[in-house]
């Protein structure tokens, strides 16, 4: 089995002349700009940001703190207004937030007064209003099962540990069958063991569902393990895409096979060089 | 890689066990018994009570002596040595007619408490007797479509307590019905909040007495032709209006400060406005709403006494005021009995609200 590894600096969408066939593009950020007005004048967080994400692609975004990664993600989610430019999903410009773009937040953001099942059902009920009650329950239970919470359906969210809460967050996001999954450093608050577990769970479900995913992370190893492409953002202000690295490991991947792969350290070095630059 | 998860199914108990659970929660958890907790939880509180009663006794004794000396001195200067001796003898004999009128001692208060209970028993017996006597007559009157004959005797102290409780609950319910919905609506909109803020800030510090007068002006006109109990209506509305502000402010704040993450989840899921309010905003502001309601109930109980006193509506307030104006020998000690009863009931109401608050709040950190 031979793998063709190519460290590509070209795959930056139209900015660098690479054009994907448009019917293969799920998410298109075009000349995106974000400006926060301050008393001292406008503060430009993002400018001329172009990024195209393909169907069934898993993209991780890495960059220094405060460079505007989260701003970009919440703009894609529709939670933060766009100052200029365009974000479109399957060619349609987004209008505000919606369940076609599921979000897994940094904090689990579960409703603490609801059980795990109720939390997942809150979304499922909203997205599948025509399904029967038991069908909706089955969907919610299926995903909770997938994240390994088969015994904790009826536990209140605030009785679950951070890691288990974030599992519910993953189940909730997948259960609404979004077109795009947005993950805002979802494992940032977890200890490294739990983080590893959750990465495995995430990638296991993702392998099955193949939902286009955009994930912000601070963790270089996480970025490589999960992604088809790692997008590196320049430091703000006026942040944009600095570099893009294709990760050409075969899927499904295991942590072991990734770590033992010859190219792993090459990728890692590439990312760290960028970040330390 | 799978983490083991313990299965805890929520068991839906019946109403009986729910009530039992509630009562158990009201009582603070029993500490493990050892020497230290015995000293801390039993002996020291007991000592503090004994110290309190002792100081009270000594103070009352001193006040009694000052008053007695003054009486004897007065008799001496007004009427001479003989009258003074008579007065001293009279005071020493414990005769009701010449006792100094001052702070009653703990023993006197205890006696008055027993008197009040005995009085209550007598009145209850009287009532039961009256009821038995008039039962046949009332049945006949009812058949004829006439109003039954009711007991119109003097209410006992215990009756007064229940009247006060009824008034305070009516006022509390009124506060709840007004303040929670208004608070939610105001909390949802910054514009509304800003435009109503002046009103809340102006009315919040208004004294109970003024509220009573305002309510009196309105209710007097509105109940002119009706037979309704306007004293009760006036007092419970005044109580409600005085007490509702804490709930209003807390509800508005709770709704306005819902965790942004929850709001974002609601936005991503595109919940409709009604679902957003009932599934996200209200549950997440429940702890603050209940904090408000707890303050409201204790304020309601506090202002109730003053309002009953002024509105001449029956209850503990008018009991206290009547006893004060009555000036009988044991009036002062009855007032002190009422003071303790008011305090203890206030404490119990607060305990109940705290328990309810802890049951509804999801962060489980509300404290006494």
């Amino acid at each position: 089995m031979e793998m063709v590894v190519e460290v590509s600096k070209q795959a930056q969408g139209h900015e660098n002349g690479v054009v994907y066939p448009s019917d293969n593009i799920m998410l298109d950020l075009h000349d995106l700009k974000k400006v926060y007005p301050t008393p001292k004048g406008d503060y430009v967080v993002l400018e001329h940001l172009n990024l195209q994400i393909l169907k069934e692609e898993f993209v991780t975004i890495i960059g220094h703190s405060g460079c505007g990664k989260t701003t970009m993600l919440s703009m894609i989610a529709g939670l933060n207004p766009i100052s200029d430019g365009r974000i479109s999903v399957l060619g349609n410009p987004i209008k505000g937030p919606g369940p076609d773009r599921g979000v897994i937040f940094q904090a689990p953001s579960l409703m603490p007064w609801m059980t795990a099942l109720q939390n997942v059902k809150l979304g499922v009920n909203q997205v599948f209003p025509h399904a029967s009650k038991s069908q909706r329950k089955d969907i919610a239970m299926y995903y909770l099962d997938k994240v390994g919470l088969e015994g904790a359906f009826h536990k209140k969210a605030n009785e679950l540990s951070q890691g288990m809460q974030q599992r519910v967050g993953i189940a909730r996001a997948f259960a609404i069958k979004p077109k795009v999954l947005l993950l805002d450093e979802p494992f940032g608050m977890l200890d490294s063991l739990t983080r590893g577990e959750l990465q495995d769970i995430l990638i296991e479900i993702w392998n099955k569902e193949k939902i286009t995913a955009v994930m912000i992370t601070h963790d270089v190893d996480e970025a490589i393990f999960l992604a088809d492409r790692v997008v590196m953002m320049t430091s703000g202000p006026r942040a944009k895409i600095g570099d893009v690295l294709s990760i050409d490991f075969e899927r499904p991947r295991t942590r072991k096979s990734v770590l033992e792969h010859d190219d792993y350290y090459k990728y890692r070095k590439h990312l760290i060089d960028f970040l330390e630059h | 890689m799978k983490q083991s998860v313990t299965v805890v199914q929520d068991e839906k108990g019946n109403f009986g066990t729910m009530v039992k659970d509630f009562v158990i929660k009201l009582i603070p958890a029993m500490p493990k018994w050892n020497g230290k907790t015995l000293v801390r939880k039993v002996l020291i509180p007991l000592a503090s009570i004994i110290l309190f009663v002792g100081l009270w006794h000594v103070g009352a004794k001193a006040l009694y002596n000052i008053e007695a000396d003054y009486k004897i001195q007065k008799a001496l200067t007004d009427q001479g040595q003989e009258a003074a001796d008579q007065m001293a003898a009279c005071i020493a004999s414990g005769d009701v007619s010449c006792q100094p009128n001052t702070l009653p001692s703990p023993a006197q208060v205890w006696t008055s408490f027993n008197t009040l209970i005995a009085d209550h028993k007598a009145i209850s017996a009287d009532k039961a007797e009256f009821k038995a006597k008039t039962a046949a007559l009332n049945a006949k009157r009812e058949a004829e479509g006439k109003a039954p004959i009711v007991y119109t005797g003097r209410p006992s102290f215990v009756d007064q307590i229940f009247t006060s409780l009824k008034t305070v609950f009516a006022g509390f319910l009124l506060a709840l019905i007004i303040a929670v919905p208004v608070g939610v609506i105001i909390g949802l909109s910054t514009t509304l909040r800003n435009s109503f803020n002046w009103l809340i800030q102006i009315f919040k510090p208004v004294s109970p007495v003024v509220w009573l007068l305002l309510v009196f002006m309105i209710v007097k006109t509105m109940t002119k032709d009706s037979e309704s109990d306007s004293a009760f209506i006036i007092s419970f509305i005044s109580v409600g209006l005085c007490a509702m502000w804490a709930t209003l402010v807390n509800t508005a704040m709770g709704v306005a400060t819902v965790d942004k993450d929850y709001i974002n989840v609601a936005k991503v899921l595109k919940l409709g406005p009604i679902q957003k309010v009932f599934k996200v905003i209200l549950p997440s502001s429940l702890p603050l709403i209940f904090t408000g309601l707890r303050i409201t109930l204790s304020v309601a109980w506090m202002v109730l006494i003053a309002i009953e006193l002024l509105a001449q509506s029956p209850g503990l307030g008018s009991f206290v005021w009547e006893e004060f104006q009555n000036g009988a020998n044991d009036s002062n000690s009855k007032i002190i009995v009422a003071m303790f009863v008011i305090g203890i009931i206030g404490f119990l109401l607060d305990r109940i609200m705290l328990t309810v608050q802890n049951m509804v709040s999801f962060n489980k950190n509300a404290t006494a």
Side-chain angles (χ1 to χ4, degrees):
Chain A
M1 199 181 289
E2 210 183 48
M3 250 180 233
V4 184
V5 178
E6 183 189 50
V7 180
S8 153
K9 288 201 178 192
Q10 259 70 57
Q12 291 180 36
H14 26 147
E15 191 174 57
N16 291 39
V18 176
V19 180
Y20 295 111
S22 66
D23 60 346
N24 208 18
I25 294 171
M26 173 58 84
L27 187 65
D28 187 10
L29 315 186
H30 179 76
D31 214 16
L32 201 59
K33 186 176 181 179
K34 181 69 197 182
V35 179
Y36 285 118
T38 68
K40 290 180 200 160
D42 287 351
Y43 180 80
V44 183
V45 187
L46 307 170
E47 200 175 31
H48 302 307
L49 192 148
N50 289 292
L51 181 65
Q52 291 178 315
I53 293 165
L54 305 180
K55 288 175 184 168
E56 303 192 355
E57 191 176 28
F58 200 124
V59 169
T60 52
I61 294 175
I62 201 161
H64 288 286
S65 303
C67 76
K69 303 182 299 271
T70 298
T71 305
M72 185 186 90
L73 201 80
S74 65
M75 283 164 86
I76 302 173
L79 296 169
N80 200 339
I82 298 165
S83 303
D84 199 13
R86 190 182 66 231
I87 297 175
S88 32
V89 174
L90 292 173
N92 304 310
I94 60 159
K95 294 184 197 78
D100 60 331
R101 279 151 289 138
V103 184
I104 300 178
F105 297 95
Q106 181 165 20
S109 308
L110 304 181
M111 312 292 162
W113 54 90
M114 292 184 183
T115 62
L117 187 64
Q118 283 169 333
N119 265 293
V120 179
K121 263 169 61 182
L122 183 69
V124 174
N125 291 347
Q126 197 60 22
V127 178
F128 305 108
H130 301 299
S132 75
K133 225 177 161 176
S134 65
Q135 279 173 322
R136 289 190 296 224
K137 193 178 175 187
D138 285 346
I139 296 173
M141 277 166 38
Y142 172 81
Y143 284 99
L144 279 173
D145 203 44
K146 280 271 166 260
V147 296
L149 287 180
E150 56 281 334
F153 290 162
H154 300 290
K155 272 207 169 180
K156 283 265 162 60
N158 60 346
E159 295 166 358
L160 301 171
S161 67
Q162 274 273 338
M164 297 221 279
Q165 288 190 29
Q166 198 55 286
R167 289 176 194 226
V168 180
I170 294 171
R172 176 174 66 185
F174 275 98
I176 61 172
K177 307 244 183 236
K179 294 195 180 82
V180 182
L181 194 61
L182 305 168
L183 304 98
D184 184 4
E185 260 186 81
F187 311 137
M189 289 159 85
L190 305 174
D191 61 273
S192 61
L193 267 177
T194 318
R195 178 190 296 222
E197 267 171 38
L198 279 161
Q199 286 166 359
D200 290 337
I201 283 170
L202 174 69
I203 210 66
E204 200 180 308
I205 304 187
W206 186 85
N207 282 336
K208 207 167 252 161
E209 312 262 333
K210 292 280 183 198
I211 293 170
T212 306
V214 183
M215 173 165 163
I216 291 175
T217 177
H218 270 123
D219 184 333
V220 171
D221 299 302
E222 182 174 88
I224 298 170
F225 176 54
L226 295 173
D228 297 309
R229 279 193 296 158
V230 182
V231 171
M232 288 155 267
M233 275 174 79
T234 62
S235 294
R238 296 172 196 278
K240 54 183 181 177
I241 306 301
D243 196 356
V244 177
L245 175 68
S246 284
I247 310 289
D248 295 328
F249 297 141
E250 224 173 39
R251 287 188 193 271
R253 305 169 179 172
T254 63
R255 197 175 299 278
K256 193 162 173 288
S257 72
V258 167
L259 285 173
E260 284 169 356
H261 198 281
D262 296 339
D263 294 324
Y264 182 74
Y265 288 95
K266 203 163 92 194
Y267 289 145
R268 207 167 184 280
K269 185 173 179 310
H270 185 111
L271 292 178
I272 287 171
D273 282 349
F274 178 88
L275 290 173
E276 283 180 350
H277 194 65
Chain B
M1 273 281 170
K2 266 182 189 161
Q3 209 166 308
S4 74
V5 175
T6 45
V7 183
V8 178
Q9 289 277 357
D10 273 348
E11 277 180 31
K12 292 241 160 74
N14 58 20
F15 188 69
T17 52
M18 256 172 68
V19 170
K20 206 173 122 199
D21 283 354
F22 184 80
V23 172
I24 288 169
K25 277 178 189 160
L26 274 176
I27 305 160
M30 272 302 204
K32 284 203 183 82
W33 287 110
N34 58 39
K36 221 174 177 180
T37 52
L38 186 78
V39 169
R40 233 184 41 205
K41 299 251 172 184
V42 179
L43 292 184
I44 292 178
L46 214 61
S48 75
I49 291 172
I50 290 168
L51 184 71
F52 171 74
V53 174
L55 279 177
W56 174 12
H57 178 80
V58 172
K61 193 92 188 160
L63 286 170
Y64 180 91
N65 288 338
I66 291 169
E67 192 80 17
D69 286 350
Y70 175 77
K71 274 192 145 179
I72 295 167
Q73 202 59 46
K74 195 163 183 288
L76 184 71
T77 50
D78 287 359
Q79 294 159 295
Q81 186 60 46
E82 199 180 321
D85 288 345
Q86 253 175 22
M87 177 59 80
C90 176
I91 290 171
S93 75
D95 190 354
V96 174
S97 64
C98 53
Q99 284 305 307
N101 184 15
T102 184
L103 178 73
S105 71
Q108 281 172 307
V109 171
W110 179 248
T111 314
S112 291
F113 174 70
N114 288 325
T115 315
L116 285 170
I117 297 296
D119 182 48
H120 169 67
K121 280 182 182 151
I123 289 179
S124 301
D126 195 27
K127 245 189 218 169
E129 197 187 336
F130 177 85
K131 211 176 169 186
K133 262 192 207 163
T134 55
L137 185 60
N138 272 342
K140 202 173 139 200
R141 283 177 71 99
E142 209 188 333
E144 288 169 4
K146 284 186 197 165
I149 300 168
V150 289
Y151 183 80
T152 53
R154 179 174 63 88
S156 75
F157 180 64
V158 179
D159 294 338
Q160 308 266 44
I161 295 176
F162 282 106
T163 316
S164 281
L165 280 175
K166 196 177 92 182
T167 316
V168 91
F169 278 120
F172 176 71
L173 276 183
L174 179 76
L176 188 146
I177 289 167
I178 297 175
V180 172
V182 173
V184 170
I185 292 167
I186 291 178
L188 285 174
S189 141
T190 323
T191 323
L192 273 181
R193 204 157 55 246
N194 291 338
S195 47
F196 275 96
N197 196 33
W198 65 271
L199 199 128
I200 295 171
Q201 298 305 331
I202 287 175
F203 284 135
K204 204 170 60 173
V206 170
S207 145
V209 179
V210 183
W211 279 115
L212 175 78
L213 297 178
L214 177 84
V215 174
F216 181 73
M217 291 174 215
I218 299 167
V219 172
K220 191 189 68 183
T221 312
M222 289 179 71
T223 58
K224 212 152 213 151
D225 305 321
S226 75
E227 293 282 298
S228 50
D229 179 3
S230 67
F232 170 72
I233 296 176
I234 290 170
S235 46
F236 96 77
I237 293 180
S238 310
V239 168
L241 287 182
C242 287
M244 72 177 200
W245 303 99
T247 302
L248 183 62
V249 171
N250 271 283
T251 306
M253 198 171 88
V255 170
T257 57
V258 172
D259 195 331
K260 213 167 163 26
D261 285 348
Y262 304 154
I263 299 291
N264 279 342
V265 171
K267 277 184 185 165
V268 168
L269 297 177
K270 270 204 165 155
L271 297 182
I274 290 175
Q275 262 195 314
K276 196 166 136 187
V277 168
F278 283 97
K279 295 231 159 160
V280 180
I281 291 173
L282 266 185
S284 97
S285 32
L286 265 190
L288 260 182
I289 294 178
F290 269 84
T291 308
L293 286 175
R294 196 174 143 212
I295 299 170
T296 287
L297 187 59
S298 58
V299 169
W301 184 245
M302 211 156 70
V303 301
L304 173 80
I305 307 301
I307 280 175
E308 276 178 350
L309 189 150
L310 284 166
Q312 286 162 347
S313 110
L316 283 172
S318 55
F319 172 84
V320 169
W321 191 239
E322 275 162 21
E323 286 300 333
F324 181 67
Q325 292 196 315
N326 189 356
N329 198 46
D330 63 348
S331 283
N332 285 356
S333 41
K334 280 184 181 167
I335 291 172
I336 305 288
V337 173
M339 193 185 103
F340 278 108
V341 167
I342 291 165
I344 289 167
I345 291 177
F347 171 71
L348 288 180
L349 290 179
D350 194 57
R351 270 272 133 192
I352 292 171
M353 280 307 284
L354 178 68
T355 310
V356 175
Q357 188 186 346
N358 281 333
M359 281 168 87
V360 297
S361 73
F362 42 86
N363 42 13
K364 312 272 178 211
N365 57 8
T367 48

